[in-house]
Amino acid sequence: KIHKLIRELSQSTGYDFDEMKGIIKQKAGLYTDTWTLKSFKDCSKKELMTAIDVSIRLGQELDVNLY
């Protein structure tokens, strides 16, 4: 689900997929112990839900319907 949201946001904003993925991870605070961005595969369920919530809120701010 998170990749679908990121894809929609990137297509609507002009950012490429990887740029938007980085923005979402930063806004969701998904960093490792060494302050690099975490891979979604290494995230907990709670962290993934946070990233989904951040994506939806960003979509609302940018007037992008993600539902």
Side-chain angles (χ1 to χ4, degrees):
K1 181 173 182 169
I2 187 67
H3 282 132
K4 182 177 180 180
L5 294 171
I6 292 169
R7 193 171 297 107
E8 289 292 323
L9 284 169
S10 66
Q11 290 173 350
S12 297
T13 61
Y15 287 99
D16 71 26
F17 182 83
D18 289 329
E19 289 172 323
M20 184 56 67
K21 185 166 55 171
I23 291 167
I24 297 299
K25 287 179 179 183
Q26 288 173 348
K27 288 183 176 286
L30 300 178
Y31 293 95
T32 65
D33 293 338
T34 59
W35 292 103
T36 57
L37 291 173
K38 258 187 179 180
S39 171
F40 285 129
K41 71 180 176 86
D42 297 328
C43 290
S44 68
K45 196 173 202 176
K46 182 178 179 182
E47 290 171 323
L48 289 173
M49 292 304 297
T50 299
I52 290 169
D53 289 342
V54 165
S55 299
I56 291 170
R57 277 189 272 126
L58 183 59
Q60 290 170 338
E61 290 173 17
L62 298 172
D63 202 27
V64 177
N65 187 4
L66 297 175
Y67 295 103

